[in-house]
Amino acid sequence: MELPIQLKSLADKINLLKDKIETEESTKHAFVLPFINILGYDTFNPTEVVPEFTADLGLKKGEKVDYAIMQNDEPILIVECKNWKEKLTVHNSQLFRYFHVTKTRFALLTNGIHYQFFTDLDEKNKMDEKPFFEFDISQLKDSAVNEIAKFHKSNFDVNKILDNASSLKFIKEIRKQIDTEIQNPSPEFVRLFASKIYSGRLTEKVMEEFTELVQKAFGQLIGEKINERLHFALNKEVIIQEKDQIEEAEESKIITSEEELDAYRIVVAILRRKLHIQRIVHRDTQSYFGVLLDDNNRKPLCRLHLNGGKKYIGLFNADKNEVRQQIQTIDDIYLFEKELLETVGLYENE
């Protein structure tokens, strides 16, 4: 199951169950552990996920962080959980204390719905006060899913995440500033535009007028952009529907003959020397019967032209150009065993 689908499924589950979840412990088991599982880590394997993780904090003994995700016996992500009803705050958080005594570069604070990821961009080995990445699982955007994917076990790369963390952090702050300026333009923001289009003196009265004008201008601009996107989306949907209707009409004209299926079985018998049968897929069209590797149009294995007066097998060279060879009967396909297996080799070498 793909990551977006898994996250959507968890979000639906949270929405359904949250009113029945009363404690922090229940939040962990119902919301947080499934999220860690989605990231590809086995929550039942103590070499991957350690609950109640303890680190040596000098004189302060016995403190624990809720979970540590491990790699090569070292924590790569420490996780502190709160009850889903609680707001997240890093003040007095155990994450701060644990961050500098472990080798981890990432910490996660979550209540199972809102997730905040931290690192040490401001000062080495000291956790930043502000997260570089955060999201609400009930309102996930595609951009957030892409960032979550970087923490998946199969993708996890400390350096790649750190390289991107700084950009994420600054983009988030810039967006906040832009939103603030649009809602309530500051004198500096208004002056930036007024000075470019107004030649007179920017008196207090002029600034008041331009504050209102700047606010209206941005409101209109955003509204127009939204309408453009909606118009584009609607037109795209119409085009897709028309394309689907054309494809359905074309498919209704395709008739796969028993001879084509027999020929396909011969091709499969030859190719099975190098390929698992599930990787050999046929796709019939109005002009030819195609045989593909992995159901991929860019990996044609051969084409069978059997519906005309003469019969041909279309073979593919190194440039993926089709070369037709005439055959008298479909049994002649066995004569091209070498060429068919060579075509498989071309794709395997890619």
Side-chain angles (χ1 to χ4, degrees):
M1 191 184 294
E2 294 182 358
L3 184 63
I5 298 172
Q6 291 176 309
L7 292 169
K8 175 65 166 60
S9 178
L10 178 57
D12 292 341
K13 175 186 173 184
I14 289 171
N15 188 52
L16 187 66
L17 296 180
K18 65 181 182 181
D19 292 332
K20 299 174 184 177
I21 301 296
E22 298 294 335
T23 65
E24 180 181 303
E25 200 64 26
S26 297
T27 300
K28 291 180 193 177
H29 288 283
F31 301 163
V32 180
L33 285 177
F35 176 77
I36 294 174
N37 271 323
I38 288 172
L39 292 182
Y41 300 98
D42 183 356
T43 53
F44 294 103
N45 184 347
T47 65
E48 288 192 4
V49 181
V50 179
E52 299 295 306
F53 180 73
T54 305
D56 185 3
L57 294 174
L59 296 175
K60 201 154 190 174
K61 303 287 185 181
E63 281 197 291
K64 298 179 174 68
V65 71
D66 292 309
Y67 300 105
I69 295 176
M70 311 293 287
Q71 189 179 81
N72 300 324
D73 297 324
E74 294 290 347
I76 57 172
L77 175 65
I78 55 176
V79 184
E80 183 176 344
C81 306
K82 302 293 182 186
N83 188 308
W84 74 270
K85 297 178 182 178
E86 290 185 43
K87 290 185 177 180
L88 299 183
T89 172
V90 293
H91 296 294
N92 299 319
S93 168
Q94 293 175 28
L95 288 177
F96 272 122
R97 296 191 287 276
Y98 274 86
F99 193 89
H100 78 278
V101 296
T102 66
K103 292 184 179 180
T104 185
R105 298 297 303 275
F106 304 105
L108 168 61
L109 180 63
T110 180
N111 60 9
I113 298 175
H114 193 194
Y115 289 75
Q116 295 181 339
F117 287 82
F118 298 83
T119 187
D120 55 352
L121 295 174
D122 297 333
E123 188 176 338
K124 186 84 173 194
N125 296 327
K126 182 180 178 182
M127 194 179 91
D128 300 336
E129 290 196 11
K130 292 183 178 181
F132 70 89
F133 170 52
E134 58 185 313
F135 65 89
D136 183 327
I137 198 168
S138 64
Q139 300 175 27
L140 268 182
K141 296 180 174 63
D142 290 343
S143 57
V145 174
N146 292 336
E147 297 304 324
I148 295 169
K150 293 172 185 173
F151 284 91
H152 194 279
K153 181 181 176 181
S154 61
N155 301 324
F156 192 90
D157 185 310
V158 172
N159 293 325
K160 287 182 180 179
I161 299 174
L162 285 173
D163 288 343
N164 194 45
S166 180
S167 296
L168 284 174
K169 184 175 181 179
F170 287 127
I171 288 172
K172 183 180 72 172
E173 294 302 318
I174 290 170
R175 286 171 61 109
K176 284 182 180 178
Q177 290 299 318
I178 292 173
D179 186 56
T180 299
E181 292 291 0
I182 291 173
Q183 299 298 325
N184 186 23
S186 66
E188 294 79 12
F189 191 69
V190 174
R191 190 173 286 109
L192 173 67
F193 295 99
S195 62
K196 293 178 182 294
I197 57 178
Y198 184 75
S199 58
R201 184 166 167 264
L202 296 177
T203 63
E204 184 177 342
K205 184 179 180 182
V206 172
M207 286 293 289
E208 286 179 4
E209 291 176 357
F210 267 96
T211 297
E212 185 177 348
L213 292 173
V214 167
Q215 200 168 17
K216 283 184 178 179
F218 269 92
Q220 291 173 2
L221 181 63
I222 292 170
E224 288 170 4
K225 291 293 181 185
I226 291 172
N227 286 333
E228 285 176 10
R229 293 291 295 272
L230 287 172
H231 182 70
F232 175 78
L234 289 171
N235 283 345
K236 187 176 180 182
E237 183 65 27
V238 169
I239 291 170
I240 290 172
Q241 288 177 355
E242 290 176 349
K243 184 180 177 183
D244 288 344
Q245 289 170 357
I246 292 170
E247 288 177 352
E248 286 175 6
E250 289 178 348
E251 286 177 5
S252 66
K253 298 177 183 177
I254 297 170
I255 299 174
T256 301
S257 68
E258 192 60 38
E259 184 181 40
E260 287 174 325
L261 292 175
D262 287 341
Y264 169 66
R265 294 183 189 106
I266 293 173
V267 174
V268 170
I270 294 170
L271 295 178
R272 284 196 67 180
R273 293 188 179 185
K274 284 192 174 184
L275 296 173
H276 190 282
I277 190 169
Q278 291 182 343
R279 300 187 66 194
I280 309 167
V281 180
H282 70 76
R283 195 179 297 179
D284 201 359
T285 71
Q286 283 186 267
S287 54
Y288 61 84
F289 184 96
V291 183
L292 307 172
L293 176 63
D294 299 329
D295 201 14
N296 188 336
N297 272 329
R298 294 191 296 275
K299 295 183 178 181
L301 294 167
C302 70
R303 288 175 180 171
L304 302 169
H305 305 268
L306 306 178
N307 295 328
K310 295 181 180 180
K311 304 180 191 299
Y312 298 91
I313 179 172
L315 302 167
F316 289 86
N317 58 27
D319 297 321
K320 296 185 182 179
N321 294 321
E322 182 185 5
V323 179
R324 293 191 186 188
Q325 299 287 349
Q326 187 174 352
I327 57 178
Q328 299 304 316
T329 69
I330 60 173
D331 289 333
D332 289 345
I333 294 172
Y334 286 110
L335 301 174
F336 301 97
E337 176 179 338
K338 179 183 174 184
E339 289 84 349
L340 287 168
L341 293 175
E342 285 177 350
T343 301
V344 174
L346 292 174
Y347 297 129
E348 297 293 274
N349 290 333
E350 287 180 356

